[in-house]
Amino acid sequence: MPGEKILIVDDNPTNLKLVAYLMRAKGYEVSTAIDAHAAISEIQAQRPALILMDLQLPGIDGLELTRRLKADPETRGIIIVAVTAYAMKGDQDKAIAAGCDDYVTKPIDTRVLPETIARHLARSERPS
Amino acid sequence: MTRPVPSGGTVEVGGVNQTGTLRLLVAEDSEDDYEILLRELRRGGYEVTAMRVASLAHLEGALEHVWDLVITDWSMPGFGGRAVLDTLAARRLDVPCIVISGTPGEEPAVEALRAGALDYLSKDKPKRFVPAVQRALREANDRRQTAEIRRRSDELELQNRRIQEANRLKSEFLANMSHELRTPLNAIIGFAELLFDGQVDRDSPQHKEFLGDILSSGRHLLQLINDILDLAKVEAGKLEFRPEAIQIARVIGEVSAILRTAVAAKRITLAIEIDPTVTDLLLDPSRLKQVAYNYLSNALKFTAPGGRVVIRVVAEGDTHFRLEVEDSGIGIAPADLGKLFVEFQQLESGNGKRHQGTGLGLALTKRLVEAQGGSVGVTSELGKGSTFFAVLPRRSTVRSEPIPPPVPRIPREGARTVLVVEDDVADQTQLVNALASAGYDVELAGTGAEALTRWRARDFDAVTIDLLLPDMSGLDLLAALHGERRNALVPVIVVTVVPDAKVVAGFAVHDVIHKPLDRDTLVASLVRAGVENNRVGEA
């Protein structure tokens, strides 16, 4: 839903800019991070509802960061959508196994990605 | 190795027909017993070349020769059958040995067999000599074959493991390549979609910025594709090298000129040191530039603003020279040195930041240098800087395709005229601009039919042909032009996106140039063909 907080983690500045622009245009409050350390401090400061996570990051990679976030009761509830240029067989399984809620391959479809995100956010808000 | 064979025939050993005699070494103190043995064997059909030894020293000497079989007595004065067997074992000789003994009894027999004898016979029963020899030779042969089979199967297993490893690396390479191609495509398609869908205000600064992102990502993608193609070509041994006489200082100068902006932007001091004795070079200038460019751009990338980079050319003996680029950058940890020249293995710098690049530059550099008979390497100190080097032969002998000698041409007044056959309007413009700016006159044909009409109408100095034409294939046009009487000796330059010069093999094509077109490459090619323009520089 517009106004909700989204964190975008990507080490490629151009791709970070693209997704950030797209999400801001859809009305989300967007913060960005270029690696796992920056992501962790953003998460602590912002408490995003959803993270768009590039899996290949320098240092701690996106899979490892996802595992840590999903293991921590404080951050377990954050929806994590993997956005990755790794599109070979098995890559999706690895992402899901690490705890990602969804998996999107690059190049992204700028028309479909906002819908995917809206769907995940709507589902998490539905009263249980 | 010659194998023992009964006389009067041939025997199949390991699939090879060989005739020969049984080379027999006998350790025996009794001359008589020796004679009896030989007689029995000859009677049994063996043609025998034999030698008798009766001392250990004598035996040692005899073992310098090749024997098919050793027969030994068990107890002799001075030495015994056991010593013979031990000597054979100590020398790791693959020769069968049987004992023919005057000493009956179970104990020596057991000892002999344990020490490696194939059989233990009694001198009393000469009728058994021949069957025992036959069996020993057969067993020895079987043993050799088994060893051979084992050796081959070990070899196959090793090969299999190597293939599996190569296959794994290939898959990894493909996965990485897919990743690297998708990354710039993400920016290209993503920003183009935003712009196309009207999600970016035309008058906003972002509009132009995003177009710039599309452009730079597109260029990065092109670089990636070129590197991958080059890498694939080197791997297949199909990369073209065109050695020519070059001046190293000029090549290095051109490379540093390309990177001038990067040097200036980071206020880096770039020094060029060239050993004046490195002369008389015969190398492909564009490949050498590629190597120097890759090293230099790398050095600039990893050197902090205000740092220092040196390009150095020094003699390496009389036949080789060394091109090295030394930087005052962040240096490389010893553990990472091995990853440097491997595809897609980009190292992370200390602050965890990845660096822009295709991850193919150094891998390609290594292959380019090795394909020309050279070698690459690096020395580095963490925090101090690195030196990348390539050692190359001064005169390259690599040439994947024979270069036709320049066609002698009569100099003519005025400009040379080139017929450009090209249907794509953007490419037409590029070709015409490139040629016109170099002082050539140009005639344009958009179809194969038009090209033929113009070809028949006047004399040309050269023709460039695109292989993808609307009305006929470029190859058919080549054949048609060659069939014409007019313009019969005019050099043909194929300008194509099809990156395979073999397509036009069999046609008298002077050169194949790839799109995107580079003006200097085109003009250099024309000059090589002898179509030099008198008006060069006027435009």
Side-chain angles (χ1 to χ4, degrees):
Chain A
M1 302 298 105
E4 278 190 280
K5 287 179 182 170
I6 292 181
L7 171 64
I8 304 164
V9 190
D10 197 322
D11 68 328
N12 180 306
T14 313
N15 286 324
L16 199 60
K17 179 169 40 170
L18 169 68
V19 183
Y21 184 90
L22 178 64
M23 290 302 132
R24 286 196 181 111
K26 299 292 171 193
Y28 295 103
E29 194 180 313
V30 173
S31 55
T32 59
I34 56 156
D35 61 20
H37 291 292
I40 289 166
S41 50
E42 282 299 324
I43 291 163
Q44 278 160 358
Q46 302 287 334
R47 290 281 149 198
L50 184 143
I51 300 172
L52 288 173
M53 179 84 80
D54 182 16
L55 295 183
Q56 191 193 300
L57 296 173
I60 300 168
D61 70 11
L63 289 176
E64 180 55 28
L65 180 57
T66 301
R67 268 183 226 114
R68 292 190 191 179
L69 293 174
K70 289 295 181 183
D72 185 344
E74 290 279 301
T75 52
R76 187 176 294 156
I78 303 172
I79 302 160
I80 299 180
V81 177
V83 181
T84 173
Y86 279 112
M88 305 298 273
K89 223 172 111 189
D91 288 329
Q92 179 167 7
D93 299 341
K94 265 188 251 169
I96 300 301
C100 292
D101 298 280
D102 206 345
Y103 173 90
V104 173
T105 56
K106 290 179 187 172
I108 58 159
D109 188 322
T110 58
R111 295 150 198 178
V112 175
L113 186 65
E115 289 171 21
T116 308
I117 286 164
R119 202 175 56 241
H120 278 288
L121 288 173
R123 190 175 302 154
S124 73
E125 276 168 12
R126 205 177 297 153
S128 49
Chain B
M1 188 202 279
T2 310
R3 300 278 154 77
V5 176
S7 68
T10 57
V11 77
E12 286 259 314
V13 182
V16 183
N17 270 322
Q18 284 177 316
T19 50
T21 56
L22 173 64
R23 290 165 301 180
L24 175 67
L25 178 63
V26 184
E28 174 63 78
D29 57 319
S30 154
E31 178 86 47
D32 290 347
D33 290 352
Y34 175 64
E35 288 303 331
I36 292 167
L37 173 64
L38 292 189
R39 202 170 55 228
E40 280 303 319
L41 291 179
R42 288 185 175 125
R43 197 181 288 164
Y46 284 100
E47 191 178 305
V48 184
T49 313
M51 181 183 204
R52 184 173 72 89
V53 294
S55 74
L56 210 50
H58 209 166
L59 173 77
E60 295 273 8
L63 286 177
E64 296 303 320
H65 304 282
V66 178
W67 302 101
D68 300 316
L69 179 68
V70 174
I71 295 177
T72 178
D73 194 0
W74 188 245
S75 44
M76 294 167 275
F79 80 128
R82 178 59 198 260
V84 173
L85 287 165
D86 288 348
T87 306
L88 292 178
R91 288 183 165 231
R92 300 181 180 281
L93 286 175
D94 183 30
V95 55
C97 178
I98 57 185
V99 180
I100 299 182
S101 166
T103 325
E106 211 165 293
E107 257 174 58
V110 170
E111 188 188 347
L113 294 176
R114 281 209 180 125
L118 288 178
D119 212 340
Y120 188 95
L121 307 175
S122 164
K123 286 187 178 175
D124 303 342
K125 298 183 171 144
K127 291 290 160 230
R128 292 195 180 167
F129 292 176
V130 170
V133 165
Q134 281 172 346
R135 200 169 51 242
L137 290 174
R138 204 166 46 235
E139 262 177 51
N141 197 33
D142 287 354
R143 211 168 46 197
R144 276 189 209 107
Q145 280 181 350
T146 309
E148 175 68 12
I149 288 166
R150 190 174 305 134
R151 195 186 59 75
R152 282 191 200 172
S153 108
D154 287 353
E155 208 171 80
L156 280 175
E157 191 170 327
L158 190 70
Q159 234 167 45
N160 189 30
R161 249 183 277 149
R162 279 198 199 117
I163 290 167
Q164 278 178 7
E165 175 64 8
N167 196 30
R168 194 186 62 76
L169 287 175
K170 201 121 248 179
S171 302
E172 204 173 282
F173 179 86
L174 273 178
N176 283 329
M177 192 167 82
S178 157
H179 180 269
E180 295 304 315
L181 292 172
R182 279 164 189 278
T183 301
L185 265 178
N186 190 50
I188 294 169
I189 295 176
F191 282 123
E193 270 177 5
L194 290 183
L195 295 167
F196 185 81
D197 291 349
Q199 296 208 48
V200 187
D201 189 352
R202 259 187 175 285
D203 300 322
S204 67
Q206 273 105 338
H207 196 272
K208 185 147 197 207
E209 186 187 336
F210 291 173
L211 283 172
D213 288 326
I214 294 174
L215 207 55
S216 61
S217 298
R219 290 196 180 120
H220 177 82
L221 191 59
L222 177 64
Q223 181 61 45
L224 203 56
I225 292 168
N226 283 339
D227 282 1
I228 291 169
L229 282 179
D230 275 356
L231 208 57
K233 276 197 230 161
V234 195
E235 194 151 306
K238 281 183 186 153
L239 197 74
E240 291 159 35
F241 291 95
R242 299 186 164 180
E244 53 186 76
I246 56 160
Q247 286 181 337
I248 189 76
R250 179 179 291 183
V251 172
I252 301 298
E254 284 176 20
V255 171
S256 56
I258 298 170
L259 290 163
R260 198 170 42 210
T261 329
V263 173
K266 291 180 87 173
R267 293 178 279 96
I268 285 171
T269 313
L270 177 64
I272 299 177
E273 298 172 5
I274 292 171
D275 180 344
T277 66
V278 179
T279 53
D280 201 20
L281 300 182
L282 189 77
L283 287 163
D284 184 325
S286 63
R287 298 305 177 196
L288 188 60
K289 263 189 228 171
Q290 228 172 330
V291 171
Y293 177 90
N294 284 339
Y295 277 171
L296 183 57
S297 60
N298 236 31
L300 295 176
K301 223 182 292 172
F302 291 97
T303 298
R308 179 183 158 82
V309 172
V310 187
I311 313 178
R312 200 175 287 124
V313 175
V314 287
E316 184 97 2
D318 293 338
T319 54
H320 289 65
F321 71 99
R322 167 189 289 250
L323 166 70
E324 60 182 36
V325 177
E326 182 187 315
D327 64 52
S328 62
I330 51 179
I332 301 145
D336 286 336
L337 286 174
K339 294 187 199 161
L340 281 173
F341 292 96
V342 182
E343 297 84 2
F344 297 124
Q345 295 273 355
Q346 283 189 323
L347 306 181
E348 287 164 12
S349 59
N351 54 13
K353 208 172 113 206
R354 258 164 61 91
H355 288 266
Q356 285 264 308
T358 62
L360 289 173
L362 286 179
L364 185 58
T365 302
K366 177 172 189 276
R367 309 263 177 125
L368 282 175
V369 170
E370 285 175 355
Q372 295 176 90
S375 60
V376 297
V378 61
T379 55
S380 186
E381 202 176 328
L382 208 52
K384 290 251 173 95
S386 313
T387 301
F388 284 83
F389 61 86
V391 177
L392 278 160
R394 296 189 187 200
R395 303 184 75 82
S396 167
T397 49
V398 193
R399 176 174 295 182
S400 27
E401 274 171 55
I403 298 171
V407 185
R409 300 192 63 83
I410 304 144
R412 235 176 45 179
E413 285 297 344
R416 302 301 184 80
T417 307
V418 180
L419 175 61
V420 170
V421 190
E422 172 62 66
D423 64 321
D424 183 81
V425 181
D427 289 343
Q428 278 179 357
T429 314
Q430 263 204 320
L431 279 162
V432 173
N433 285 345
L435 291 169
S437 71
Y440 292 92
D441 280 349
V442 182
E443 274 204 34
L444 199 58
T447 64
E450 199 188 335
L452 273 169
T453 313
R454 292 189 182 273
W455 195 250
R456 289 173 188 141
R458 59 162 293 178
D459 291 331
F460 287 99
D461 297 290
V463 55
T464 76
I465 295 177
D466 177 16
L467 288 183
L468 304 169
L469 292 171
D471 58 337
M472 63 167 78
S473 92
L475 298 182
D476 288 346
L477 178 62
L478 278 175
L481 292 183
H482 284 313
E484 291 293 324
R485 214 172 303 160
R486 192 160 202 176
N487 289 312
L489 289 170
V490 170
V492 177
I493 297 176
V494 169
V495 181
T496 175
V497 286
V498 183
D500 190 353
K502 275 214 305 275
V503 185
V504 294
F507 295 93
V509 167
H510 161 66
D511 204 354
V512 178
I513 292 175
H514 299 155
K515 294 179 187 176
L517 181 80
D518 175 54
R519 173 185 176 269
D520 293 346
T521 310
L522 177 62
V523 173
S525 176
L526 283 167
V527 170
R528 266 205 308 279
V531 192
E532 209 150 353
N533 209 302
N534 304 330
R535 291 197 332 211
V536 168
E538 259 183 49

